[in-house]
Amino acid sequence: MKEYLGQLFLEATKNLDYLNDIEINFSVPRTEEHGDLSTNAAMLLTKKLKKNPRLIAQGIIDSLNIDHNIINKIEIAGPGFINFHFSATYLTGIVKTIFDEGEHFGKSSKHSGKKAIVEFVSANPTGPLTIGHGRNAVLGDTVATLLEAIGYSVDREYYFNNAGRQMRVLGDSVKLRYNEILGEKISFPEDYYQGEYIKEISRKLVDEYEDKLRDENPEGKFKEAAEQSIFSDIKNTLGMLGIGMNSYFNENTLYTDKKIDEVLNRFDKMGLSYEKEGAVWLKLSEMGNEQDKVIVKSTGEPTYRLPDIAYHIEKFKRGYDLIVDLFGSDHAATYPDVLAGCRALGYDIQKVRVLIHQFVTIVENGEIVKMSTRKANFITIDELISEVGADVVRYFFIMRNMNTHLNFELDLAKKQSDENPVFYLQYAHARISSILRMTEKEGLNGSFEYLNLLTHETEVKLLKKLFLFPEEIEYAAEYFEPHKIANYLEDLASLFHKFYTECRIIGSEKKLAEARIALIKSVQIVLKNGLTLLKVSAPDKM
RNA sequence: GCCCACGUAGCUCAGUAGGAUAGAGCAACAGUUUCCUAAACUGUAGGUCACAGGUUCGAAUCCUGUCGUGGGUACCA
């Protein structure tokens, strides 16, 4: 609909060149009386033309070459809105479009030929994925899927570090538990990893090697076994959520491939770094940031900034048109320095989009649960999936805007009841399947021939909603807002349930029944396409 | 102190690409089933869009300040 109007206005600029001075946009009015689409173009021109906006609106309308088979009413309303009402024939056309495009309906090829990378999860292998990681994982995966839906070819990448202090502590933790199982009396330090999973890893080592590892360095077999076990659990968890990574990028390779040295040299040669107090500093203050920061500590070890810059340079070199990073808000401070460093080295940071999602707060029994991987005071994604299922987990993480804090009410999520929006959507889909099973028995089939009989209020509303699906996907993808899809589907499901209550199929006159079958089939296709984007299942029976 | 995000109904949140009378779910209350799945539908009630200024034809939306919440502010990531 918007495309059609956009085209009309474009043609009109030939006669009214002042239309070029403003950005013409169309919005869906809140109330139905205001039409299907509306534009404020006339009001935006009042200043320039110094005329009454309603007069300007009339001028605009007069210059539009309108096909009355498509638009059956145009009004000037309120202070100067131009409201467009689309004809029923035009609206019902969407049903056939949806049938023709099937599972592709909603997708576009707007960005086809372009490559994107989405980096997400990126948790170091020190413990199982928790609810905080879960939000990141599901959002990242959905952002990637949405980009695919508008034509990008997308790589999903997981960046991790299996070296460093955290991992040393992990090895130490496993060794200590190993000794404990062998009967040694130990005291387990508070800053070691407390989780039960550590004991399990140790137990497996005892099973396999008995006491032969007593003199083994914690950084040897112990760390290795822990990393392997934990990483395999993480991949398994992601798999249960339907998430498959294209690649796992190990920070270590940046050292072994000398990428770190390379970046360091480039900064040095460009005079962008200097030594002070035994450390190497990056002149971020000259790059527009607040203050200089250390990139190599006096111990000779780089800070996270250096490998992060080197990693991003690798991504630039791989030729992506769009580079998306998704972090929790606790990492929000890291990226301005990283981007400034990349820009200073000549890379086009316009290609990078850094998405920050806010924290997940767990509320259990009305109390906020503070979580820490180290203290093993956490709820894992595995536990959550086993209690509520992957569909609910995914949907709950997607349904809220990522920049608001998510209150995850555990008691509520565990409850499988009608309070749950996931079931509401799935039920709409299952209900349609059920109706279709019944109508088939009655010998009724969908038909495009009598779509003009779809004039009931809820039918018209459904048709208009269906029209919007491709736009919703495009918006959600371009602005990285997966929750828009969830909101849209809830609206659509709600309209369908109303339709179900008010409009019967079996028992209606045959032509009408067949038109309605075509309508609900197209609703089902859209529900399914939407749920598929979110990787939530669309059952035929519930 | 400084930086970032957020503050909308009792609760959880949409709405923020400036637009017309601010919405949904849950909870509360009252209804709907001889009829394609009641995991549904209808109605009632619930609001100083944190507060105060500003920008303009028009502000929940943009700007400034105040208060509150969370995160960051390291030679941790």
Side-chain angles (χ1 to χ4, degrees), chain A residues 143-173:
Chain A
V143 163
T145 309
L146 285 169
L147 290 174
E148 285 167 341
I150 58 171
Y152 281 100
S153 152
V154 182
D155 286 334
R156 291 166 171 81
E157 187 157 287
Y158 185 127
Y159 176 74
F160 72 101
N161 184 7
N162 55 357
R165 197 180 48 83
Q166 290 174 26
M167 294 299 287
R168 282 198 295 277
V169 175
L170 180 70
D172 291 339
S173 304

mmCIF file of all heavy atoms in Angstrom, chain A residues 143-173:
data_model
loop_
_atom_site.group_PDB
_atom_site.id
_atom_site.type_symbol
_atom_site.label_atom_id
_atom_site.label_comp_id
_atom_site.label_asym_id
_atom_site.label_seq_id
_atom_site.Cartn_x
_atom_site.Cartn_y
_atom_site.Cartn_z
ATOM 1 N N VAL A 143 17.984 -11.452 15.051
ATOM 2 C CA VAL A 143 18.474 -10.341 14.226
ATOM 3 C C VAL A 143 19.069 -10.903 12.935
ATOM 4 O O VAL A 143 18.807 -10.399 11.835
ATOM 5 C CB VAL A 143 19.523 -9.502 15.000
ATOM 6 C CG1 VAL A 143 20.327 -8.623 14.052
ATOM 7 C CG2 VAL A 143 18.843 -8.644 16.064
ATOM 8 N N ALA A 144 19.829 -11.971 13.075
ATOM 9 C CA ALA A 144 20.444 -12.593 11.894
ATOM 10 C C ALA A 144 19.372 -13.109 10.934
ATOM 11 O O ALA A 144 19.441 -12.886 9.724
ATOM 12 C CB ALA A 144 21.368 -13.728 12.332
ATOM 13 N N THR A 145 18.369 -13.773 11.489
ATOM 14 C CA THR A 145 17.300 -14.306 10.645
ATOM 15 C C THR A 145 16.557 -13.189 9.920
ATOM 16 O O THR A 145 16.200 -13.314 8.751
ATOM 17 C CB THR A 145 16.290 -15.108 11.498
ATOM 18 O OG1 THR A 145 17.018 -16.051 12.283
ATOM 19 C CG2 THR A 145 15.307 -15.853 10.623
ATOM 20 N N LEU A 146 16.323 -12.090 10.631
ATOM 21 C CA LEU A 146 15.621 -10.965 10.025
ATOM 22 C C LEU A 146 16.450 -10.360 8.893
ATOM 23 O O LEU A 146 15.908 -9.989 7.847
ATOM 24 C CB LEU A 146 15.316 -9.893 11.075
ATOM 25 C CG LEU A 146 14.170 -10.225 12.033
ATOM 26 C CD1 LEU A 146 14.124 -9.240 13.194
ATOM 27 C CD2 LEU A 146 12.837 -10.205 11.282
ATOM 28 N N LEU A 147 17.741 -10.279 9.088
ATOM 29 C CA LEU A 147 18.592 -9.751 8.019
ATOM 30 C C LEU A 147 18.533 -10.661 6.800
ATOM 31 O O LEU A 147 18.504 -10.195 5.664
ATOM 32 C CB LEU A 147 20.040 -9.596 8.510
ATOM 33 C CG LEU A 147 20.265 -8.485 9.535
ATOM 34 C CD1 LEU A 147 21.701 -8.513 10.060
ATOM 35 C CD2 LEU A 147 19.953 -7.103 8.941
ATOM 36 N N GLU A 148 18.474 -11.961 7.056
ATOM 37 C CA GLU A 148 18.335 -12.908 5.943
ATOM 38 C C GLU A 148 17.017 -12.670 5.206
ATOM 39 O O GLU A 148 16.953 -12.777 3.987
ATOM 40 C CB GLU A 148 18.400 -14.352 6.459
ATOM 41 C CG GLU A 148 19.814 -14.793 6.822
ATOM 42 C CD GLU A 148 19.886 -16.087 7.619
ATOM 43 O OE1 GLU A 148 18.860 -16.498 8.215
ATOM 44 O OE2 GLU A 148 20.959 -16.684 7.675
ATOM 45 N N ALA A 149 15.996 -12.305 5.973
ATOM 46 C CA ALA A 149 14.673 -12.108 5.374
ATOM 47 C C ALA A 149 14.624 -10.893 4.448
ATOM 48 O O ALA A 149 13.730 -10.786 3.613
ATOM 49 C CB ALA A 149 13.614 -11.968 6.464
ATOM 50 N N ILE A 150 15.564 -9.961 4.613
ATOM 51 C CA ILE A 150 15.579 -8.831 3.675
ATOM 52 C C ILE A 150 16.752 -8.946 2.711
ATOM 53 O O ILE A 150 17.184 -7.958 2.120
ATOM 54 C CB ILE A 150 15.586 -7.458 4.395
ATOM 55 C CG1 ILE A 150 16.779 -7.325 5.336
ATOM 56 C CG2 ILE A 150 14.264 -7.245 5.131
ATOM 57 C CD1 ILE A 150 16.928 -5.904 5.891
ATOM 58 N N GLY A 151 17.250 -10.158 2.578
ATOM 59 C CA GLY A 151 18.163 -10.427 1.479
ATOM 60 C C GLY A 151 19.629 -10.638 1.814
ATOM 61 O O GLY A 151 20.396 -11.104 0.978
ATOM 62 N N TYR A 152 20.039 -10.282 3.026
ATOM 63 C CA TYR A 152 21.451 -10.460 3.362
ATOM 64 C C TYR A 152 21.816 -11.940 3.415
ATOM 65 O O TYR A 152 21.003 -12.779 3.798
ATOM 66 C CB TYR A 152 21.755 -9.874 4.752
ATOM 67 C CG TYR A 152 21.915 -8.384 4.798
ATOM 68 C CD1 TYR A 152 20.870 -7.563 5.221
ATOM 69 C CD2 TYR A 152 23.131 -7.791 4.451
ATOM 70 C CE1 TYR A 152 21.015 -6.193 5.280
ATOM 71 C CE2 TYR A 152 23.284 -6.413 4.515
ATOM 72 C CZ TYR A 152 22.222 -5.624 4.931
ATOM 73 O OH TYR A 152 22.373 -4.266 4.999
ATOM 74 N N SER A 153 23.042 -12.220 3.082
ATOM 75 C CA SER A 153 23.623 -13.518 3.397
ATOM 76 C C SER A 153 24.376 -13.313 4.714
ATOM 77 O O SER A 153 25.230 -12.449 4.815
ATOM 78 C CB SER A 153 24.557 -13.912 2.256
ATOM 79 O OG SER A 153 25.569 -14.734 2.729
ATOM 80 N N VAL A 154 23.987 -14.087 5.734
ATOM 81 C CA VAL A 154 24.441 -13.772 7.083
ATOM 82 C C VAL A 154 25.304 -14.872 7.696
ATOM 83 O O VAL A 154 24.978 -16.056 7.596
ATOM 84 C CB VAL A 154 23.229 -13.536 8.022
ATOM 85 C CG1 VAL A 154 23.691 -13.170 9.424
ATOM 86 C CG2 VAL A 154 22.327 -12.449 7.458
ATOM 87 N N ASP A 155 26.398 -14.470 8.304
ATOM 88 C CA ASP A 155 27.214 -15.390 9.103
ATOM 89 C C ASP A 155 26.966 -15.120 10.582
ATOM 90 O O ASP A 155 26.975 -13.971 11.019
ATOM 91 C CB ASP A 155 28.713 -15.188 8.817
ATOM 92 C CG ASP A 155 29.117 -15.758 7.468
ATOM 93 O OD1 ASP A 155 28.434 -16.682 7.001
ATOM 94 O OD2 ASP A 155 30.101 -15.255 6.891
ATOM 95 N N ARG A 156 26.738 -16.202 11.317
ATOM 96 C CA ARG A 156 26.600 -16.080 12.776
ATOM 97 C C ARG A 156 27.923 -16.491 13.395
ATOM 98 O O ARG A 156 28.400 -17.596 13.139
ATOM 99 C CB ARG A 156 25.473 -16.993 13.260
ATOM 100 C CG ARG A 156 24.083 -16.557 12.820
ATOM 101 C CD ARG A 156 23.099 -17.700 13.057
ATOM 102 N NE ARG A 156 21.715 -17.300 12.872
ATOM 103 C CZ ARG A 156 21.102 -17.196 11.717
ATOM 104 N NH1 ARG A 156 21.764 -17.460 10.603
ATOM 105 N NH2 ARG A 156 19.835 -16.828 11.651
ATOM 106 N N GLU A 157 28.490 -15.620 14.179
ATOM 107 C CA GLU A 157 29.810 -15.920 14.737
ATOM 108 C C GLU A 157 29.862 -15.738 16.249
ATOM 109 O O GLU A 157 29.250 -14.842 16.806
ATOM 110 C CB GLU A 157 30.873 -15.043 14.070
ATOM 111 C CG GLU A 157 32.292 -15.396 14.473
ATOM 112 C CD GLU A 157 33.328 -14.953 13.443
ATOM 113 O OE1 GLU A 157 33.406 -15.579 12.364
ATOM 114 O OE2 GLU A 157 34.042 -13.965 13.717
ATOM 115 N N TYR A 158 30.632 -16.617 16.867
ATOM 116 C CA TYR A 158 30.794 -16.657 18.323
ATOM 117 C C TYR A 158 32.258 -16.385 18.584
ATOM 118 O O TYR A 158 33.133 -17.083 18.077
ATOM 119 C CB TYR A 158 30.396 -18.059 18.784
ATOM 120 C CG TYR A 158 30.346 -18.358 20.262
ATOM 121 C CD1 TYR A 158 29.193 -18.911 20.824
ATOM 122 C CD2 TYR A 158 31.437 -18.161 21.101
ATOM 123 C CE1 TYR A 158 29.123 -19.239 22.170
ATOM 124 C CE2 TYR A 158 31.377 -18.475 22.452
ATOM 125 C CZ TYR A 158 30.226 -19.024 22.979
ATOM 126 O OH TYR A 158 30.175 -19.365 24.306
ATOM 127 N N TYR A 159 32.561 -15.351 19.337
ATOM 128 C CA TYR A 159 33.930 -14.963 19.634
ATOM 129 C C TYR A 159 34.220 -15.343 21.071
ATOM 130 O O TYR A 159 33.436 -15.037 21.964
ATOM 131 C CB TYR A 159 34.046 -13.451 19.443
ATOM 132 C CG TYR A 159 35.366 -12.807 19.794
ATOM 133 C CD1 TYR A 159 36.485 -12.959 18.976
ATOM 134 C CD2 TYR A 159 35.478 -11.990 20.918
ATOM 135 C CE1 TYR A 159 37.684 -12.320 19.282
ATOM 136 C CE2 TYR A 159 36.669 -11.357 21.228
ATOM 137 C CZ TYR A 159 37.769 -11.526 20.407
ATOM 138 O OH TYR A 159 38.942 -10.885 20.707
ATOM 139 N N PHE A 160 35.318 -16.046 21.276
ATOM 140 C CA PHE A 160 35.588 -16.489 22.646
ATOM 141 C C PHE A 160 37.071 -16.494 22.942
ATOM 142 O O PHE A 160 37.907 -16.415 22.046
ATOM 143 C CB PHE A 160 35.014 -17.889 22.873
ATOM 144 C CG PHE A 160 35.773 -18.977 22.168
ATOM 145 C CD1 PHE A 160 36.674 -19.770 22.860
ATOM 146 C CD2 PHE A 160 35.590 -19.202 20.817
ATOM 147 C CE1 PHE A 160 37.393 -20.774 22.209
ATOM 148 C CE2 PHE A 160 36.294 -20.196 20.168
ATOM 149 C CZ PHE A 160 37.194 -20.987 20.855
ATOM 150 N N ASN A 161 37.352 -16.569 24.227
ATOM 151 C CA ASN A 161 38.727 -16.612 24.663
ATOM 152 C C ASN A 161 38.894 -17.752 25.652
ATOM 153 O O ASN A 161 38.241 -17.782 26.681
ATOM 154 C CB ASN A 161 39.087 -15.282 25.320
ATOM 155 C CG ASN A 161 40.549 -15.244 25.697
ATOM 156 O OD1 ASN A 161 41.304 -16.141 25.349
ATOM 157 N ND2 ASN A 161 40.933 -14.210 26.398
ATOM 158 N N ASN A 162 39.760 -18.693 25.309
ATOM 159 C CA ASN A 162 39.990 -19.806 26.226
ATOM 160 C C ASN A 162 41.350 -19.694 26.914
ATOM 161 O O ASN A 162 41.929 -20.683 27.328
ATOM 162 C CB ASN A 162 39.862 -21.146 25.507
ATOM 163 C CG ASN A 162 40.790 -21.209 24.300
ATOM 164 O OD1 ASN A 162 41.468 -20.238 23.983
ATOM 165 N ND2 ASN A 162 40.816 -22.342 23.649
ATOM 166 N N ALA A 163 41.838 -18.459 26.976
ATOM 167 C CA ALA A 163 43.082 -18.227 27.718
ATOM 168 C C ALA A 163 42.776 -17.217 28.817
ATOM 169 O O ALA A 163 41.638 -16.830 29.005
ATOM 170 C CB ALA A 163 44.158 -17.694 26.778
ATOM 171 N N GLY A 164 43.783 -16.820 29.534
ATOM 172 C CA GLY A 164 43.572 -15.748 30.495
ATOM 173 C C GLY A 164 43.217 -16.224 31.885
ATOM 174 O O GLY A 164 43.079 -17.412 32.146
ATOM 175 N N ARG A 165 43.016 -15.268 32.754
ATOM 176 C CA ARG A 165 42.855 -15.518 34.176
ATOM 177 C C ARG A 165 41.624 -16.362 34.495
ATOM 178 O O ARG A 165 41.692 -17.328 35.253
ATOM 179 C CB ARG A 165 42.757 -14.180 34.915
ATOM 180 C CG ARG A 165 42.987 -14.246 36.419
ATOM 181 C CD ARG A 165 42.849 -12.857 37.018
ATOM 182 N NE ARG A 165 41.632 -12.200 36.538
ATOM 183 C CZ ARG A 165 40.432 -12.384 37.049
ATOM 184 N NH1 ARG A 165 40.262 -13.195 38.064
ATOM 185 N NH2 ARG A 165 39.372 -11.755 36.554
ATOM 186 N N GLN A 166 40.470 -16.009 33.863
ATOM 187 C CA GLN A 166 39.236 -16.758 34.125
ATOM 188 C C GLN A 166 39.437 -18.243 33.914
ATOM 189 O O GLN A 166 38.985 -19.066 34.690
ATOM 190 C CB GLN A 166 38.137 -16.326 33.158
ATOM 191 C CG GLN A 166 37.582 -14.952 33.374
ATOM 192 C CD GLN A 166 36.613 -14.610 32.249
ATOM 193 O OE1 GLN A 166 36.024 -15.481 31.635
ATOM 194 N NE2 GLN A 166 36.455 -13.330 31.984
ATOM 195 N N MET A 167 40.132 -18.560 32.805
ATOM 196 C CA MET A 167 40.299 -19.965 32.462
ATOM 197 C C MET A 167 41.299 -20.650 33.387
ATOM 198 O O MET A 167 41.196 -21.849 33.644
ATOM 199 C CB MET A 167 40.741 -20.096 30.995
ATOM 200 C CG MET A 167 39.692 -19.644 30.003
ATOM 201 S SD MET A 167 38.152 -20.597 30.089
ATOM 202 C CE MET A 167 38.654 -22.150 29.358
ATOM 203 N N ARG A 168 42.287 -19.904 33.878
ATOM 204 C CA ARG A 168 43.215 -20.476 34.857
ATOM 205 C C ARG A 168 42.461 -20.857 36.129
ATOM 206 O O ARG A 168 42.648 -21.931 36.683
ATOM 207 C CB ARG A 168 44.330 -19.470 35.189
ATOM 208 C CG ARG A 168 45.418 -19.394 34.131
ATOM 209 C CD ARG A 168 46.687 -18.752 34.685
ATOM 210 N NE ARG A 168 46.509 -17.341 35.054
ATOM 211 C CZ ARG A 168 46.578 -16.338 34.184
ATOM 212 N NH1 ARG A 168 46.827 -16.579 32.912
ATOM 213 N NH2 ARG A 168 46.396 -15.096 34.580
ATOM 214 N N VAL A 169 41.607 -19.945 36.565
ATOM 215 C CA VAL A 169 40.810 -20.226 37.762
ATOM 216 C C VAL A 169 39.929 -21.457 37.527
ATOM 217 O O VAL A 169 39.739 -22.275 38.418
ATOM 218 C CB VAL A 169 39.946 -19.001 38.135
ATOM 219 C CG1 VAL A 169 39.026 -19.335 39.306
ATOM 220 C CG2 VAL A 169 40.825 -17.814 38.474
ATOM 221 N N LEU A 170 39.441 -21.575 36.300
ATOM 222 C CA LEU A 170 38.604 -22.733 35.969
ATOM 223 C C LEU A 170 39.399 -24.029 36.139
ATOM 224 O O LEU A 170 38.936 -24.983 36.766
ATOM 225 C CB LEU A 170 38.091 -22.600 34.530
ATOM 226 C CG LEU A 170 37.200 -23.734 34.023
ATOM 227 C CD1 LEU A 170 35.854 -23.714 34.723
ATOM 228 C CD2 LEU A 170 37.001 -23.629 32.516
ATOM 229 N N GLY A 171 40.619 -24.056 35.590
ATOM 230 C CA GLY A 171 41.477 -25.234 35.717
ATOM 231 C C GLY A 171 41.773 -25.542 37.170
ATOM 232 O O GLY A 171 41.698 -26.703 37.608
ATOM 233 N N ASP A 172 42.079 -24.504 37.928
ATOM 234 C CA ASP A 172 42.343 -24.673 39.359
ATOM 235 C C ASP A 172 41.129 -25.263 40.063
ATOM 236 O O ASP A 172 41.254 -26.154 40.898
ATOM 237 C CB ASP A 172 42.688 -23.320 39.998
ATOM 238 C CG ASP A 172 44.040 -22.791 39.532
ATOM 239 O OD1 ASP A 172 44.864 -23.607 39.067
ATOM 240 O OD2 ASP A 172 44.267 -21.570 39.636
ATOM 241 N N SER A 173 39.952 -24.757 39.713
ATOM 242 C CA SER A 173 38.719 -25.221 40.357
ATOM 243 C C SER A 173 38.511 -26.714 40.113
ATOM 244 O O SER A 173 38.170 -27.461 41.021
ATOM 245 C CB SER A 173 37.507 -24.444 39.833
ATOM 246 O OG SER A 173 37.686 -23.056 40.005
#
